[in-house]
C-alpha cells in the first residue's frame, strides 16, 4: 500500500476511495472537518503583592499576572487575555457589554489578604484555557483603618417602583490626582431599596455611574405586550407613559414601529435568544424630566454623576404591561382564568402520518395567545403546521427552533371570536414509533407561559386536554396538580349552565371542604384552596353535576 499523511488546512474536506474489481469501478466519499480544538497554554505569575492606595481601591490588569501564553494555531499577539476573581463565573471572562474583562479590582477593607484570580486566554477558534494564581492585598499605610466610604446608587423600576436586583454599575471617570478608570462593580446584592454603596473615592472626583443588567431577555415579555404595542402604533390605545414607549422600542431605533413587534416576536418564538440591537434592561436617572409624552424627542441619559447618591429608573425592554419580575420579593401574579385547547385522544402506529386539529374547547373572544408545544422527537415528528380559522396566523407566527418544539405567538388589533371546537392549527405529524398522542405531546412553560388574552385584556392560562370527541355530556377532568402542596384545580366541561357541587373528604369520611359553583356552559375550573387540606395524606374528591357524578383521590404532600 502507498499512502501519505497530508497537511490539510482548517475547513471542510472530502476523501474518496476508488475500488476496481473485474473492470467495475466504485467510488465511496466521506466528508470531514479539520478544526482547532486545542486550548491555549497559559502560565501565571505567582506571589504578587500590592498595597491599597488612598482611593481605597486597587486595580490589577491581566498582564500583571501573565508569564506567557501560546497556542498551536493562533498567533500570540492575536490571543485575547481575560481575568476574573476565582469562582465568580464560568468560561472566558466577559463584561456585561461582551468585551473581555481585563482587570480585577480589590476594595478596602473586605479584600485585604490573599485573593485568588483566574487568568484566561482564548484563541480565534473559541478555545479557552486558564491558570489560577493569587495576589496578597496589603494595607501598609493604614488607609482601611478609617474607611472613606463613597456614595452609591439606587435603582427601582419605572413600572411600580420595585427595587431592582442583580445589576452592576459601570463606573467611568477619574480625579485630577489619578488616571482615568473604567470598571464594573462586583455584583453586590442591593438592599431592600435597590441601593448599593460604592467605595471609589476620593470625594469630589468626576465619576459617572451607569447601571447595567443584560440577562433574561424574556422576563416580562409576552404576546400580550405585542397586542398593546400594536394598538399604540395603530392609534387605538396609545401607551400612556414615556417609560412604556422606551420599553416598546425593542430595536433601539428611538421610535416605536412594527419592526419592534417583529423583533419581539422572534424573541418569544425562540428565533432570537436575545435582542440583537438592545439590552435586556435600560436605565435613566430618576430625576430626568421628559420634555413630552414622547421620550424620543430629546436624548434620554443613561448615566449620572457619582458625586452624590444618584437614583435610576429601570425599564425592562419589551415589557409594556409591567409584568417583569425585578425582585425576588415581588408578589406572584394574580390568579388567572382558564382556557383550554383540545387534541384528539388517539393511538398512532409506527410510520403513520395524520393531520391533527388543535381546537379551542370553548367559545372565546381572543386578542392573542402564545404557547410552546413539546413533542417527544423519538416518537413524533411535526412535518407541517397548517393555519386554522384566525386571520394573520401564518408562518411568521410559529417556529420550530429545534426538533420536538413548536412555539406559537399570534395577536390581532381587534378581538376574534372563536366558537367552541374552532381549529387554531392543524399539525401534520408522522409517528416514528407506535405511540399514544397524550404520552407524546404537552404544553410547556420553560420559555413562554401558555396563555391567551381576552377582548377585555384579561390573561387566561392555557391547558391542553386529550379527550374523545365531545359527546354532549358533562366531562370532569383529573385534578391538577396531583400530588399537590398547595391549591388544586379540577377542570369541568358542562353542556349547559347550572350548579355543580364539589366535596372533599379525608379517608375517614370526614368532610373537609364543600362548595357549590354556578357554572356557565363550556370549560371552566373549580378550585380547592390549600387551607382545606390541613394535613398531608390522601383525600377523596367528589363532583356532582346533575346526574353526573365523578370522584377520585387527591394526595396532599
Amino acid at each position: 500500500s502507498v499512502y501519505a499523511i497530508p497537511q490539510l488546512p482548517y475547513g471542510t474536506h472530502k476523501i474518496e476511495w476508488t475500488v476496481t474489481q473485474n473492470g467495475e469501478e466504485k467510488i465511496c466519499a466521506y466528508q470531514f472537518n479539520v478544526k482547532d480544538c486545542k486550548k491555549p497554554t497559559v502560565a501565571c505569575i505567582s506571589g504578587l503583592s500590592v498595597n491599597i492606595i488612598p482611593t481605597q481601591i486597587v486595580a490589577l490588569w491581566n498582564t500583571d499576572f501573565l508569564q506567557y501564553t501560546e497556542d498551536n494555531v493562533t498567533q500570540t499577539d492575536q490571543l485575547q487575555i481575560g481575568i476574573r476573581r476565582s469562582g465568580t463565573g464560568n468560561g472566558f471572562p466577559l463584561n456585561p457589554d461582551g468585551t473581555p474583562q481585563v482587570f480585577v479590582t480589590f476594595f478596602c477593607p473586605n479584600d485585604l489578604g490573599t485573593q485568588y484570580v483566574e487568568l484566561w486566554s482564548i484563541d480565534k477558534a473559541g478555545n479557552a484555557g486558564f491558570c489560577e494564581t493569587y495576589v496578597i492585598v496589603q494595607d501598609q499605610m493604614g488607609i482601611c483603618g478609617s474607611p472613606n466610604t463613597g456614595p452609591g446608587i439606587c435603582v427601582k423600576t419605572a413600572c411600580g417602583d420595585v427595587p431592582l436586583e442583580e445589576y452592576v454599575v459601570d463606573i467611568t471617570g477619574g480625579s485630577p490626582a489619578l488616571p482615568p478608570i473604567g470598571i464594573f462593580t462586583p455584583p453586590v446584592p442591593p438592599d431592600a431599596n435597590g441601593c448599593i454603596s460604592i467605595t471609589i473615592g476620593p470625594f469630589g472626583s468626576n465619576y459617572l455611574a451607569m447601571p447595567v443588567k443584560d440577562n433574561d431577555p424574556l422576563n416580562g415579555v409576552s404576546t400580550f405586550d405585542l397586542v398593546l404595542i400594536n394598538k399604540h402604533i395603530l392609534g387605538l390605545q396609545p401607551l400612556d407613559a414615556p417609560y412604556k414607549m422606551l420599553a416598546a422600542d425593542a430595536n433601539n431605533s428611538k421610535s416605536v414601529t412594527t419592526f419592534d413587534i417583529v423583533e419581539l416576536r422572534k424573541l418569544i418564538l425562540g428565533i432570537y435568544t436575545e435582542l440583537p440591537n438592545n439590552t435586556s434592561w435600560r436605565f435613566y436617572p430618576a430625576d430626568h424630566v421628559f420634555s413630552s409624552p414622547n421620550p424620543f424627542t430629546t436624548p434620554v441619559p443613561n448615566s449620572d454623576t457619582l458625586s452624590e447618591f444618584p437614583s435610576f429608573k429601570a425599564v425592562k425592554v419589551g415589557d409594556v404591561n409591567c409584568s417583569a419580575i425585578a425582585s425576588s420579593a415581588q408578589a406572584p401574579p394574580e390568579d388567572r382564568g382558564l382556557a383550554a385547547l383540545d387534541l384528539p385522544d388517539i393511538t398512532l402506529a409506527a410510520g403513520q402520518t395524520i393531520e391533527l386539529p388543535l381546537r379551542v374547547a370553548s367559545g372565546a373572544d381572543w386578542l392573542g395567545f402564545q404557547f410552546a408545544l413539546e413533542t417527544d422527537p423519538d416518537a413524533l415528528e411535526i412535518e407541517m403546521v397548517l393555519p386554522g380559522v384566525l386571520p394573520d396566523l401564518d408562518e411568521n407566527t410559529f417556529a420550530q427552533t429545534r426538533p420536538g418544539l413548536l412555539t406559537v405567538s399570534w395577536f390581532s388589533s381587534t378581538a376574534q371570536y372563536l366558537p367552541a371546537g374552532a381549529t387554531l392549527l392543524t399539525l401534520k405529524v408522522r409517528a416514528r414509533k407506535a405511540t399514544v398522542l397524550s404520552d407524546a405531546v404537552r404544553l410547556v412553560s420553560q420559555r413562554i407561559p401558555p396563555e391567551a388574552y381576552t377582548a377585555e385584556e384579561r390573561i387566561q392560562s392555557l391547558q391542553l386536554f386529550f379527550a374523545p370527541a365531545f359527546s354532549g355530556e358533562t366531562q370532569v377532568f383529573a385534578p391538577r396538580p396531583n400530588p399537590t402542596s398547595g391549591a388544586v384545580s379540577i377542570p369541568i366541561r358542562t353542556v349547559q349552565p347550572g350548579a355543580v357541587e364539589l366535596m372533599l373528604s379525608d379517608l375517614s369520611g370526614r368532610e373537609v371542604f364543600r362548595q357549590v359553583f354556578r357554572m356557565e356552559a363550556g370549560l371552566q375550573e373549580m378550585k380547592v384552596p390549600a387551607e382545606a387540606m390541613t394535613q398531608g395524606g390522601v383525600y377523596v374528591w367528589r363532583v356532582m353535576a346533575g346526574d353526573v357524578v365523578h370522584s377520585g383521590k387527591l394526595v396532599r404532600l
Side-chain angles (χ1 to χ4, degrees):
S1 299
V2 178
Y3 66 91
I5 300 176
Q7 298 297 318
L8 299 175
Y10 291 105
T12 302
H13 303 272
K14 183 171 71 173
I15 185 172
E16 290 186 353
W17 291 269
T18 302
V19 179
T20 303
Q21 183 179 16
N22 299 328
E24 183 180 354
E25 183 179 270
K26 289 188 176 181
I27 298 176
C28 177
Y30 175 76
Q31 193 174 70
F32 62 96
N33 188 39
V34 178
K35 61 181 181 179
D36 178 15
C37 298
K38 183 180 180 298
K39 299 176 181 178
T41 299
V42 195
C44 289
I45 296 174
S46 297
L48 284 182
S49 178
V50 296
N51 200 37
I52 288 287
I53 61 177
T55 59
Q56 298 188 352
I57 182 175
V58 62
L60 292 176
W61 297 83
N62 49 11
T63 52
D64 293 330
F65 295 92
L66 180 64
Q67 183 175 348
Y68 71 88
T69 180
E70 61 184 14
D71 186 62
N72 63 323
V73 177
T74 304
Q75 296 181 11
T76 300
D77 60 356
Q78 294 178 341
L79 294 171
Q80 288 189 312
I81 312 299
I83 191 170
R84 71 157 63 90
R85 293 192 185 205
S86 295
T88 60
N90 298 306
F92 187 80
L94 297 173
N95 291 315
D97 62 357
T99 58
Q101 183 176 323
V102 295
F103 61 87
V104 287
T105 51
F106 302 100
F107 296 86
C108 188
N110 294 339
D111 293 332
L112 294 179
T114 302
Q115 303 293 333
Y116 289 88
V117 298
E118 299 170 1
L119 187 67
W120 287 74
S121 178
I122 188 170
D123 63 20
K124 284 188 172 182
N127 304 306
F130 76 98
C131 58
E132 187 177 47
T133 185
Y134 66 92
V135 58
I136 301 173
V137 183
Q138 302 180 23
D139 180 25
Q140 295 180 351
M141 294 185 290
I143 295 169
C144 297
S146 54
N148 178 22
T149 301
I153 73 170
C154 296
V155 181
K156 294 184 178 181
T157 61
C159 283
D161 218 29
V162 179
L164 184 67
E165 295 180 350
E166 297 181 349
Y167 67 87
V168 297
V169 185
D170 182 7
I171 301 172
T172 56
S175 72
L178 295 171
I181 66 168
I183 64 172
F184 284 96
T185 63
V188 179
D191 63 19
N193 293 313
C195 303
I196 62 174
S197 295
I198 300 172
T199 303
I200 195 72
F203 289 114
S205 302
N206 185 24
Y207 293 105
L208 286 178
M210 181 179 71
V212 178
K213 183 175 171 68
D214 194 19
N215 64 343
D216 195 8
L218 266 177
N219 181 10
V221 180
S222 72
T223 303
F224 187 51
D225 294 297
L226 307 190
V227 172
L228 299 178
I229 295 172
N230 190 52
K231 286 188 173 184
H232 170 83
I233 294 171
L234 296 176
L236 301 175
Q237 185 178 312
L239 297 173
D240 58 3
Y243 66 82
K244 293 184 179 181
M245 296 180 66
L246 291 174
D249 181 20
N251 66 340
N252 204 17
S253 65
K254 309 299 185 292
S255 62
V256 179
T257 67
T258 54
F259 190 58
D260 295 303
I261 293 177
V262 172
E263 295 290 271
L264 287 172
R265 177 136 60 184
K266 288 181 180 180
L267 183 67
I268 292 168
L269 292 177
I271 299 172
Y272 287 160
T273 56
E274 59 184 16
L275 292 171
N277 298 310
N278 214 333
T279 53
S280 181
W281 291 79
R282 62 178 300 172
F283 303 85
Y284 61 89
D287 59 1
H288 175 71
V289 177
F290 293 99
S291 58
S292 73
N294 182 356
F296 308 115
T297 56
T298 57
V300 179
N302 60 2
S303 62
D304 202 355
T305 178
L306 200 57
S307 59
E308 297 181 357
F309 208 110
S311 296
F312 288 85
K313 292 295 184 182
V315 176
K316 178 64 188 67
V317 175
D319 173 31
V320 298
N321 72 326
C322 297
S323 61
I325 302 299
S327 166
S328 56
Q330 277 185 262
E334 73 280 1
D335 191 27
R336 298 176 173 184
L338 173 71
L341 306 177
D342 269 346
L343 277 175
D345 189 14
I346 59 175
T347 300
L348 301 175
Q352 181 180 357
T353 299
I354 190 173
E355 293 186 357
L356 299 172
L358 180 64
R359 299 189 174 103
V360 292
S362 302
D365 282 294
W366 280 351
L367 284 165
F369 58 82
Q370 67 177 29
F371 60 83
L373 196 68
E374 186 176 65
T375 64
D376 179 356
D378 295 329
L380 207 64
E381 176 186 0
I382 299 178
E383 294 185 331
M384 188 179 298
V385 180
L386 304 173
V389 298
L390 289 170
D392 300 322
L393 203 162
D394 53 29
E395 64 276 4
N396 295 314
T397 61
F398 49 82
Q400 293 190 69
T401 55
R402 63 171 173 82
L405 183 67
L406 173 70
T407 50
V408 183
S409 170
W410 171 88
F411 69 91
S412 175
S413 58
T414 57
Q416 301 294 317
Y417 175 69
L418 293 164
T423 299
L424 290 183
L425 296 170
T426 298
L427 307 177
K428 184 178 179 181
V429 302
R430 182 175 67 88
R432 295 182 179 271
K433 62 182 180 181
T435 185
V436 178
L437 194 64
S438 56
D439 292 335
V441 182
R442 63 191 182 112
L443 284 181
V444 291
S445 57
Q446 285 90 339
R447 290 193 74 258
I448 55 174
E451 55 190 27
Y453 318 108
T454 70
E456 299 78 26
E457 297 188 357
R458 289 186 293 109
I459 300 176
Q460 297 178 321
S461 296
L462 284 178
Q463 294 190 13
L464 179 64
F465 291 91
F466 297 88
F470 188 38
S471 61
E473 298 180 354
T474 296
Q475 294 175 312
V476 180
F477 300 91
R480 301 185 180 193
N482 188 16
T484 181
S485 57
V488 173
S489 297
I490 300 180
I492 181 172
R493 180 157 53 186
T494 57
V495 181
Q496 56 189 10
V500 177
E501 186 175 27
L502 169 63
M503 185 182 72
L504 190 70
S505 60
D506 60 23
L507 287 181
S508 69
R510 181 178 63 90
E511 182 179 304
V512 298
F513 178 79
R514 180 190 292 264
Q515 185 171 345
V516 175
F517 297 85
R518 298 293 173 181
M519 294 291 185
E520 300 295 329
L523 183 70
Q524 295 146 96
E525 64 177 353
M526 300 171 289
K527 291 198 172 180
V528 179
E531 53 268 23
M533 298 170 282
T534 56
Q535 297 180 343
V538 179
Y539 293 81
V540 177
W541 61 269
R542 187 182 185 199
V543 173
M544 292 156 284
D547 297 332
V548 177
V549 178
H550 285 267
S551 61
K553 291 182 179 180
L554 177 63
V555 178
R556 177 71 157 89
L557 299 176

